[in-house]
Amino acid sequence: MWGRFAGHRLLQLIPVLIGVSFIVFLTMHLTPGDPIEHMLGQAGRITQAQIDELRSHYGLDRPFHIQYGLFLRNAAVGDFGTSYSHQGRSVSEVVAERLPATLELTLFAFVLAIALAIPAGVFASLRPQGPFDRTATVAALLGISMPGFWLGIMLMIVFGLRLHWLPISGRVNLALIPQYVTGLHTFDALLAGQWAAFWSALKHLMLPGLAMAAPMAAMVMRMVRSSMIGVLAQDYVQFARAKGLPETAVIGKHALRNALIPTVNIVALQTGLLLSGNMIIETVFQYPGLGKLAVDAIAAADYPLVQAVVLIYATSYVLLNLGADVLHAALDPRVRLA
Amino acid sequence: MLRLLFGNRVAVAAGAVVLLFVLAGLAAPVIAPHDPNLQNASAIRVPPLWQAGGTGRHLLGTDSLGRDLLSRMVYGARISILLGVAVVLITLVVGTALGMAAGYFRGWFDLIMSRVVDTLLAFPFLIFALAIMAATGPNLVALVLALAFKGWVDFYRVARGDVLAAREADYVTAARGLGASTPYLLVGEILPNIIPPLIVLATLRMATIIIAEASLSFLGIGVPPSIPAWGTMVSDGRADVAAAWWIATFPGMAILLLVLSVNLFGEGLRDVLDPRMRK
Amino acid sequence: MRGVSSAGRYTRRQFLKQGAGVAAAAGLGPGLLSALLAGCGRQQATRRGLRADLVRGALSVALDADVQTLDPAMHRSRTVEAVVRNLCDGLVARDAEMRYVPQLAESWEVQGDTRWVFRLRQGVTFHDGSPFTADDVTFTIDRIIGAIPGLPPSPRKDLLGPVSGAEALDPHTVAIVTEGPYPILHKKLVFQEICPRAYFEKVGPDEFARNPVGTGPFRLVEWVPGERIVVERFSEYYGGSPEVPPVGPAELAGVIFRPLEEAATRLVSLEAQEVDVAVNVPPDQADRVDALPNAQLSVAEGTRTHFVGLNCARKPFSDRRVREAMRYAVDPRPIVEQFLLGRAQALPGILVPIAFGYDDSLPEPRQDAGKARALLREAGHPDGLDVTFDCEATDKRMAEAIAGAMAEAGVRAEVRVWKKDNLLNQLRRQERDMFLTSWGNSSLDPSGILPVLFRSDGYSNFFGYRHSAVDRLLEEADRAMDPDARARRYVQVQRILHDDTPTCFHFAQEELYGVSDRVSNFHARPDGMLPMHDVSLAAEA
């Protein structure tokens, strides 16, 4: 049953990816701006023959549907073509270079958001309208309403410039770069047992990670809080309390599990938003990841690169939702898999 | 119902703040102390009133071209709210119409729409907006379209779900039995019943749109620079953060305050209009 | 992919083909994954972490642009050049005062008008240990001028003007031949760095762009695109030009270049001591950087001229009176003084004063709003002029300042901001009416700017500008071996351009660098290069 469910959902991924790639393809072709011109932008005197040669080299002289068909066929076997703006290098290579950085930042932001939100939500729910609840609720409202780019700048000023607590740019102290295994410096450092490198990488992640995590932490905290309040009022929780079970067991075993069920979907949805937020945050912090790569690729009309990045974002979004559905089903026996 | 809303003091206060922003935006030419684009070379980076060097002429100080921050922020409210309303209206109408049609007629239309919606949901909005705006350069029409491109999906989903439920409701079957035409059924009977949750959603979407617009303007591809906008102002002040903190800080606070108020107001509205969604 | 036969029915083959298409599409997701894994696998081989002593002894530089290639012949980017110049030396170089000094060439002489003979330094080795010979010079020149078939065209070709070939006379002597006289060949050679033929032919152009080898004072350790370029001292360095002491291997253990495109991030990183040198400090931030407790400002006269361009081929600026009105509409001096805080110089024309052939007799720019209004009225604009005013993002503040100042003369300019390349392409197509842009001329020779912008067929003639006398004078100047004859022609061109006003509001910003107090012997240069050979770093306290 699980296999079929997941398989069915994976199949749904295909039309979505085709649709997404089609929209990007169409947009990039309808908008003015010729990639060849961009390629030659800084160059000197160029003859029409050279322009034509480049155009046919990149297949840009063919009709739209042929170009799109070729793209699909090549993409299916993992060939996303050559990037226009990174001389002679394949799109997969360029993307693969930036992926670990973004993966690390996003994972960190995700963990940070969850680590902040769930305990805060639980504590807030224990004494609604109490001082902690009020503080947390206000903080969550601010987190939801704050523009990420502004929060990023403010964090930079306060923690980087005024207090000198945390680094503002870069990913790790370069003297401590751990041996490359996954490309995620924190993981690599742990694998090698280099605590100084791990700590340095973690500090570098802190400010961009916090700016990225804020809205997600806020949404998840609110969800946990409200569903905990709902669950705590349920008969079975009251019953467990009446049985004389310690409060930690009541909350940990009975209430939290049930309260987390509705939270899973919110987490998936918010992680999707986390991904889209990373473009802004990476731009603010000049963080060398996919988001910044995407912004630069668009500016350079680097169609193949934009395509690949968009597909990565779309795939992760769909997979996240798939994961959430599976998890939801696993947590909640009432959910029928269909 | 109004009494319920007024019973929620936070929502009332938030509504008042939103109203204040709207009025300020509308009356910008009257209340702004200076022309928002007027440069004053002899008053560059004047700090806000309460700081050493601040003057009553520029309550919130000036930016690196000597433009009055308060005036620019008042005008910034105008464009933020204007764009927010425009985008929300467009997405509300488009999303509701499509959602109602899909929910009522089902069949192939619903099927196609659900594919389109799946695709759009997975589509990274910001990249799309960036791509369009990078090619056309900052202009308001493209900005509205880019912002609306994906926004209608939320309305679509709510409208479709509600229509699906309403389709079999007694009042609809009764009206249908009386020989009401399909357009009448949709607009005259069903629409009024599904409007409240849509209005709540519209309010909350407004908050999202304001942040999205500010983000695009911050990246330099949103509102054209000749129109003062909060996102642009934060971006302008970014290089100055260490020397003149106020330039980037105040517009950011304005965004925060407006979005916060819209959110609080929307949530208050939800409690009143749409008890189902109450948590 | 989708095919319907002429009869309107699917044939079996087409049906199969379509099925294959769907199957192919189904592979999109896994394809993505495998592509990424393949990409990751490729990198792993090259990344082993960095030696701690190298990082500790390395100077860290915040660049203002990312680097797309490290191939000296395949870019048109000043940032790439600044990095590559540390890896690869050229025949000729310039010192910090922009004097031409021999580098890999020991000396040269001109034979006739079209043949230059260079005597090469001996005992020089590339980073891979192979010796530097005349063969490498001919290879470098041939590759740039496109004389080697099968290689992509070099965007640096036009920087070698009419060079038609190079010939090794013996292992340490090279003759470079030009088609027609080319009086400034030695000046133009500072823009080309020598690449080793054997290594290039072994690894191919793609690998060379990632892992270049040269004779420079530093050699590449790693390049992580978008993140950093790390180079280390090349201990067998021959020492560099004897005319620029000290001679010998570099002082620094290495250099780490990091692209931080946002000026705000660069400065904050400098202030937080995360980098030692921040390039391209915005002029209005200069005083603040200078006042930092742990850093100071390093300043050089700039070679890039900013200007307001006017489209002479379209209304309203096709009318010379309207263009003249623009010249009187605004005075650059107070604006430059107030908004760039004196970190720029207002100029009467497009050339900077340190350029060859600069005409110092041009009248200083001034504002005369009354005259501007009168000229506009005369040209049929009694109510003033509404124009769009385009610029790229980094020039936005200045464009707004100029637009603000023009209002007094009845010019209402609406500023529009574009991404850099986007605007450049529109300008090349001559689609914009009025715009703020800039042109760098680090050669400091008018041949690097006047023909490019103002010849009828100049490839960056943004103005649709056509003037037969300008064309003729520029052509003559290109061929005159006598410096005085060249200078006279350039002066004439500058006067015509001043009266014709395809451009106005000229200014050149200083080159501003924020430099940590740990750094000694770093000198800002007008050409924006960052030679690190002589720079040293105080040990950490």
Side-chain angles (χ1 to χ4, degrees), chain C residues 40-58:
Chain C
C40 290
R42 193 167 322 145
Q43 293 184 305
Q44 222 161 326
T46 60
R47 289 218 220 152
R48 297 252 180 277
L50 294 169
R51 289 195 340 264
D53 61 316
L54 168 59
V55 175
R56 260 198 305 278

Side-chain angles (χ1 to χ4, degrees), chain C residues 9-18:
Chain C
R9 279 205 325 257
Y10 281 95
T11 64
R12 185 182 149 75
R13 227 184 108 201
Q14 279 160 340
F15 181 75
L16 284 177
K17 249 169 105 183
Q18 202 180 24

